[in-house]
Amino acid sequence: MTLRPYGHVLLIIWWTAAIVAEKERPKGGDMSLWIDEKQVKEFSGFPMEIFAIADGTVLPYILDPNFEKYLPVIPSEVSSVNFTWKSGDNKQYNYNFENLQSFNEDILSNPVISIETKGRVPKKPGVFQVFLPCLGNRSGVAGFSIGLRIVNENGKYLEGTPLLLRLQKQCAEHVTQGPDPECDKKCANRGWCNQQKICECQKGYMGNYCRTALCYPQCMNGGTCISPGVCKCADGYQGPHCEGGICREKCLNGGKCIQKDKCKCRKGYYGPRCEYSKCTIPCLNGGRCIGVNQCRCKRGYSGGQCDQQNKRQKERRRRPKGCRKSCKHGLCVGNQCRCDRGWFGRRCNRRPCTPRRCKHGVCVGNACRCEKGWYGRKCNKRPCTPQRCKHGICLGNRCQCEKGWYGRKCNRSHPRRRRTKKRYV
């Protein structure tokens, strides 16, 4: 295999990264981010995984301030980079991609990701792509940056983030007729040959001759990717990604088909189709078998087979409905609350809508219909926007401040002091 001029530098970096990543390979269920073997093999020819984050820790070579200087220019035939990540079963992380910016917009457009720029990291491994769209009107090297913030469930940044990478991408001029007609014939799936005699692939294809289709998530259980996003499943499997099995006979009693003709049964059932119950005497009154002669009864019933009705349930059925809960601002008359003036609702605990209470909206019935840019029961709250959230990111309708910033808008460098009442002795 022959390497391009940048190949020896790239190989040294990837080999070093692979050695570090092998030591730091995730062993638990925390946040991880890596490039899979298939993607790395397309770049270097060596099947290996390269981790950027492993078990909630950003690897040292990513944090090296000179790391960007060692990276080679991304070649023109590479139009996207695929990343895999997961948060783990017991963790929750929110992400925010920012600074997706091209420094040479006359050659390269701003980078685009295949997922939302803000959201939640999936618990199980998921794949996303970073597209690097060259304009094709001229050849040259363009610089771009990618920023990533990761916040845990407690609102704290993952150690080592935010990440900001500055990289370079080689773009080639798109010509309708390549310099070598034989090269154009080799480029499959409507790919074209650039002036450097390298195939430029359409979106959804990759490889030296654009013959490899991309399916993300990858096809499972031996499935084959036949076109972008389309999997051809092996015998006995089905689903968009071949993730489910095919059972010729339906699984019973809430069982699920997980593999070819194999059912996963709920507790209390067994058999090839989950057709057998572990309760020799069936559970009554809507109860469910959860073990050997063990029933889980519905509310109001008890006993080995849920055949006994609780006394409270009997009394509740006999008792007239009436005012079950106290009327906050009214009197209980018969079976209903009679509310005082200015109150309504079943418990007389709601105030009617008035223009004075509806700050930025109009009253429709007894509710406020808010104007654009306002929300809340009184239309007195503004949603979080990047412009209002000065030094932080929006999580829902609140600002999650960066370290060292405070306030509802993350615009104060010091926390507000709480006022304390003076005590006189």
Side-chain angles (χ1 to χ4, degrees), residues 61-252:
Y61 60 84
I62 300 295
L63 300 177
D64 186 353
N66 296 320
F67 177 66
E68 300 168 3
K69 299 179 182 179
Y70 303 146
L71 291 176
V73 178
I74 298 176
S76 58
E77 64 267 24
V78 177
S79 59
S80 64
V81 182
N82 308 311
F83 292 91
T84 308
W85 63 354
K86 69 179 183 68
S87 64
D89 295 333
N90 301 322
K91 297 287 184 177
Q92 180 177 319
Y93 290 95
N94 294 306
Y95 69 88
N96 181 17
F97 281 97
E98 56 183 9
N99 294 328
L100 296 170
Q101 182 181 2
S102 171
F103 302 129
N104 302 92
E105 296 184 357
D106 57 333
I107 302 177
L108 177 72
S109 299
N110 291 333
V112 180
I113 58 176
S114 61
I115 57 177
E116 297 291 337
T117 56
K118 298 179 183 179
R120 184 172 294 177
V121 180
K123 291 186 177 181
K124 296 183 179 180
V127 180
F128 67 90
Q129 292 177 288
V130 179
F131 298 101
L132 306 173
C134 291
L135 298 180
N137 56 353
R138 54 178 292 194
S139 299
V141 178
F144 66 94
S145 65
I146 299 176
L148 174 61
R149 297 174 183 266
I150 299 178
V151 183
N152 63 14
E153 54 191 355
N154 297 323
K156 296 182 179 180
Y157 284 103
L158 183 70
E159 186 176 357
T161 63
L163 293 174
L164 181 62
L165 295 178
R166 297 179 182 271
L167 308 172
Q168 290 182 318
K169 171 76 169 71
Q170 174 74 43
C171 291
E173 183 180 358
H174 178 200
V175 291
T176 56
Q177 185 177 1
D180 185 358
E182 294 298 324
C183 180
D184 289 333
K185 296 179 181 179
K186 294 179 181 179
C187 300
N189 298 308
R190 295 186 298 171
W192 66 89
C193 203
N194 59 24
Q195 292 180 346
Q196 285 75 29
K197 298 183 180 182
I198 298 174
C199 289
E200 297 277 354
C201 302
Q202 292 283 348
K203 183 178 178 181
Y205 292 94
M206 64 186 301
N208 294 333
Y209 301 106
C210 308
R211 294 176 181 173
T212 304
L214 297 175
C215 290
Y216 290 99
Q218 297 178 358
C219 303
M220 304 170 64
N221 298 312
T224 304
C225 184
I226 57 176
S227 63
V230 179
C231 292
K232 182 179 180 181
C233 301
D235 293 339
Y237 296 93
Q238 63 180 347
H241 313 293
C242 308
E243 70 276 11
I246 298 177
C247 295
R248 288 174 293 181
E249 297 183 3
K250 184 179 179 180
C251 301
L252 304 176

Side-chain angles (χ1 to χ4, degrees), residues 19-71:
I19 295 174
V20 177
E22 186 67 26
K23 296 179 181 179
E24 301 291 342
R25 182 177 296 274
K27 301 177 181 179
D30 209 335
M31 172 72 194
S32 297
L33 173 67
W34 69 96
I35 305 177
D36 60 16
E37 294 182 1
K38 185 177 180 181
Q39 177 75 88
V40 177
K41 186 177 180 180
E42 289 291 333
F43 291 167
S44 64
F46 297 94
M48 64 181 71
E49 292 179 339
I50 297 180
F51 284 85
I53 304 175
D55 278 341
T57 303
V58 179
L59 298 189
Y61 60 84
I62 300 295
L63 300 177
D64 186 353
N66 296 320
F67 177 66
E68 300 168 3
K69 299 179 182 179
Y70 303 146
L71 291 176

